[in-house]
Amino acid sequence: MPAFLKPLIFTAAALAVVLSTGEAFADTQTFFKPKQSGNRLDWCLDWSTGCGAPAANAWCKSKGFDKAASFEEDPDIGASHPTRLISSGAVCDQGFCDGFAQITCDTAGTKTFSNPKQAGNRLDWCLGWSTGCGGAAASAWCKAKGFSGGASSYTIAENIGGSEPTRLFSTGAVCDQDFCDGFAKITCQP
């Protein structure tokens, strides 16, 4: 094979993996001028406490990451760009309010999925009808997404089928009854 084709084949293979899963995974992601509910994220968790790393870590965790790998302060922006506290949602619109210029979040290889889906529907709590529920279904779904360690944690979303039908991972069958449960969150590990 000619050497110039090898990068094209690798790129096509990587693109096929991303397209087949519907998601791309990265260990780190940088967010510039991060926002909280429409406002710039405040430098502190609460008024003048938990500033810098604690606020950055809380924000990264709210986005499904494990922690903040790095961050940079954007001082005195409140008058022109009001900031919002992540802990209470309170807004600071004074000139002395500080925010973040950037935050780089790190997954350390894990990834948390909120309201995970299977073929367009919410993922059902069970692999099959009333079998393999909870951990077995979560781990099978994670492994199919490329996380060989399966699920490290998961949370149930009870009685959602009537409003958000769920889909069984093993068979693809859909449950659209009120009593059908799904997952609120799944954390997958490498």
Side-chain angles (χ1 to χ4, degrees):
M1 170 185 313
F4 71 91
L5 286 179
K6 289 181 183 177
L8 295 174
I9 291 171
F10 175 77
T11 302
L15 181 60
V17 169
V18 169
L19 292 176
S20 69
T21 63
E23 300 179 41
F25 300 107
D27 289 338
T28 63
Q29 186 173 352
T30 300
F31 300 89
F32 295 95
K33 299 181 180 179
K35 292 191 173 190
Q36 178 71 18
S37 300
N39 293 104
R40 293 282 299 274
L41 177 64
D42 196 271
W43 182 247
C44 299
L45 271 173
D46 207 346
W47 301 123
S48 299
T49 63
C51 302
N57 285 329
W59 190 81
C60 286
K61 286 181 182 182
S62 78
K63 301 296 179 199
F65 293 91
D66 291 331
K67 62 183 172 73
S70 66
F71 50 88
E72 180 183 338
E73 186 177 14
D74 198 357
D76 304 325
I77 63 170
S80 59
H81 302 287
T83 62
R84 186 176 299 269
L85 298 172
I86 192 167
S87 64
S88 66
V91 173
C92 184
D93 59 3
Q94 303 300 307
F96 56 79
C97 302
D98 301 327
F100 286 89
Q102 62 86 20
I103 299 175
T104 299
C105 299
D106 188 6
T107 62
T110 65
K111 174 79 175 156
T112 299
F113 298 88
S114 294
N115 304 323
K117 294 195 173 191
Q118 177 68 19
N121 294 104
R122 292 283 295 273
L123 178 64
D124 195 271
W125 182 248
C126 300
L127 273 172
W129 299 124
S130 299
T131 62
C133 302
S139 285
W141 187 82
C142 287
K143 288 177 180 178
K145 295 284 184 196
F147 293 91
S148 60
S152 60
S153 66
Y154 46 89
T155 309
I156 193 170
E158 295 180 324
N159 303 320
I160 63 169
S163 60
E164 295 181 79
T166 63
R167 185 177 298 271
L168 295 174
F169 181 75
S170 63
T171 66
V174 173
C175 185
D176 60 3
Q177 303 299 308
D178 289 337
F179 58 80
C180 302
D181 299 328
F183 286 91
K185 287 186 179 184
I186 298 176
T187 299
C188 300
Q189 61 187 0

